[in-house]
């Protein structure tokens, strides 16, 4: 569909209440549909200042282009919903493309990419009360743990409170944990089997209840380790996509193998589907859906 930025700006400037009205009339659905699987498209990267895709440093900065790609992805059969920050979700609400979709609000965006305070990832996005008020269906948070950075303790504590708050509203919360460290000043996530196992163990035990906690996990550096790694918790999990570079087929094969594991319920994939190497959003999304 063609996105009219002037029309969106006019509504936002003259009728900001239209966002709440659109949220109130949105047709909702259960988190898991008849297939029992989830295919979520992620677009919460810009709010962390992470705009790059491959060698295109500001690929996600053009909002009209991003919205068009999201609308195409959401229109494809088998796509269950979208994960994004308030600004993007509200644009999609105004465009009327979220009926019958799972809507996931991104909660902590304070750990800006490349910042000295990146590990102190405070909750500057959706709160549990916002997700409930807007009738969204779930939340998502990022939990990077660097044993050498005190900022990770703030993130751990605020993550536990967010889990409690979401559970009080009986809303699912997808926790994306990593063991991380700085290499040459840049935060790197450790995808070894031991590190992913430890991140699962830590995140599964946060909060006063895990009843509404899901995990959002990477495939380990060696995909053959995933079966043992996923034995760490009984919490339902989805696989995250991340950037896959030029080896799209290799990424698909890793996902396909991990999706056979009993706790893995689906995929949450962003840039590799919205900005595929070959440029075709429809084909990339349809291939990912086919893995389920």
């Amino acid at each position: 569909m063609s996105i009219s930025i002037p029309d969106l700006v006019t509504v936002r400037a003259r009728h900001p209440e239209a966002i709440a009205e659109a949220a109130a009339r949105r047709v909702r659905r259960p988190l898991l549909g008849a297939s029992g699987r989830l295919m979520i498209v992620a677009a919460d990267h810009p709010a962390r200042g992470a705009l790059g895709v491959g060698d295109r440093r500001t690929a996600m900065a053009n909002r009209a282009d991003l919205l068009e790609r999201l609308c195409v992805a959401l229109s494809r059969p088998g796509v269950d919903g979208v994960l994004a920050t308030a600004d993007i979700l509200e644009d999609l609400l105004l465009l009327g493309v979220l009926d019958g979709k799972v809507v996931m609000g991104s909660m902590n965006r304070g750990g800006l990419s490349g910042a000295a305070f990146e590990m102190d990832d405070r909750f500057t996005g959706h709160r549990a009360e916002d997700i409930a008020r807007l009738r969204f269906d779930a939340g998502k948070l990022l939990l990077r743990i660097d044993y050498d950075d005190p900022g990770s303790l703030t993130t751990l504590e605020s993550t536990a409170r967010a889990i409690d708050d979401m559970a009080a509203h009986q809303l699912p919360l997808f926790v994306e944990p990593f063991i991380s460290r700085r290499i040459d000043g840049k935060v790197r996530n450790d995808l070894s089997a031991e590190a992913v196992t430890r991140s699962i163990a830590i995140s599964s035990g946060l909060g006063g209840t895990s009843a509404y906690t899901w995990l959002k996990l990477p495939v380990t550096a060696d995909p053959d380790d995933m079966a043992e790694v996923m034995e760490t918790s009984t919490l339902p999990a989805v696989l995250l996509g991340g950037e896959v570079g030029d080896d799209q087929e290799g990424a698909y094969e890793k996902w396909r193998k991990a999706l056979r594991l009993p706790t893995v319920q689906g995929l949450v994939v962003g840039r590799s589907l919205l900005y595929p190497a070959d440029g075709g959003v429809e084909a990339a999304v349809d291939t990912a859906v086919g893995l389920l």
Side-chain angles (χ1 to χ4, degrees):
M1 66 184 295
S2 179
I3 305 299
S4 172
I5 294 298
D7 287 348
L8 286 173
V9 173
T10 297
V11 173
R12 284 181 169 278
R14 295 180 179 273
H15 304 287
E17 72 280 0
I19 291 171
E21 292 168 357
R25 63 175 177 266
R26 182 179 70 89
V27 178
R28 298 182 68 180
R29 52 155 279 179
L31 181 67
L32 289 177
S35 70
R37 307 289 258 174
L38 269 179
M39 177 68 223
I40 303 293
V41 178
D44 57 344
H45 314 79
R48 201 178 290 281
L51 301 171
V53 179
D55 58 0
R56 294 170 289 170
R57 296 185 62 187
T58 58
M60 298 188 76
N62 186 308
R63 182 52 55 90
D65 179 61
L66 174 57
L67 292 174
E68 286 179 6
R69 291 171 183 270
L70 281 167
C71 289
V72 170
L74 286 166
S75 72
R76 303 306 297 169
V79 173
D80 293 291
V82 61
L83 159 65
T85 47
D87 56 329
I88 293 174
L89 291 181
E90 289 164 0
D91 282 341
L92 295 172
L93 277 173
L94 293 174
L95 291 169
V97 297
L98 296 183
D99 280 350
K101 299 296 182 182
V102 172
V103 181
M104 297 174 58
S106 188
M107 301 178 74
N108 62 327
R109 314 307 296 167
L112 301 182
S113 179
F117 51 84
E118 188 167 351
M119 306 312 295
D120 186 350
D121 199 353
R122 303 189 188 193
F123 283 65
T124 57
H126 285 106
R127 301 165 298 176
E129 62 200 75
D130 301 318
I131 294 172
R133 172 176 50 83
L134 291 165
R135 301 172 63 251
F136 292 164
D137 305 296
K140 173 261 179 181
L141 61 83
L142 177 62
L143 174 61
R144 292 173 295 181
I145 303 167
D146 183 344
Y147 280 67
D148 295 321
D149 193 322
S152 287
L153 180 57
T154 302
T155 306
L156 271 168
E157 183 180 21
S158 55
T159 293
R161 300 294 75 80
I163 290 171
D164 292 338
D165 292 343
M166 289 291 282
H169 288 282
Q170 297 184 334
L171 286 166
L173 179 56
F174 289 69
V175 178
E176 180 180 348
F178 291 99
I179 302 299
S180 306
R181 65 182 185 275
R182 289 187 186 271
I183 300 176
D184 297 327
K186 188 169 184 178
V187 174
R188 301 289 187 183
N189 298 324
D190 188 343
L191 299 185
S192 67
E194 180 182 348
V196 177
T197 296
R198 193 183 311 132
S199 75
I200 293 172
I202 293 168
S203 55
S204 296
L206 291 175
T209 177
S210 62
Y212 293 91
T213 305
W214 286 57
L215 299 175
K216 181 172 178 275
L217 300 171
V219 176
T220 48
D222 183 346
D224 291 335
D225 292 331
M226 279 299 285
E228 183 175 356
V229 166
M230 294 305 295
E231 292 175 351
T232 309
S233 175
T234 59
L235 298 184
V238 292
L239 303 177
L240 63 90
E243 273 200 271
V244 298
D246 295 328
D247 188 14
Q248 196 89 19
E249 288 304 318
Y252 288 149
E253 185 54 37
K254 291 178 181 179
W255 297 341
R256 182 180 292 110
K257 187 173 183 180
L259 282 163
R260 301 185 186 126
L261 300 173
T263 59
V264 178
Q265 308 295 302
L267 288 168
V268 179
V269 188
R271 286 171 289 189
S272 58
L273 298 187
L274 294 173
Y275 300 86
D278 65 2
V281 175
E282 297 96 330
V285 170
D286 292 349
T287 301
V289 168
L291 300 178
L292 299 177

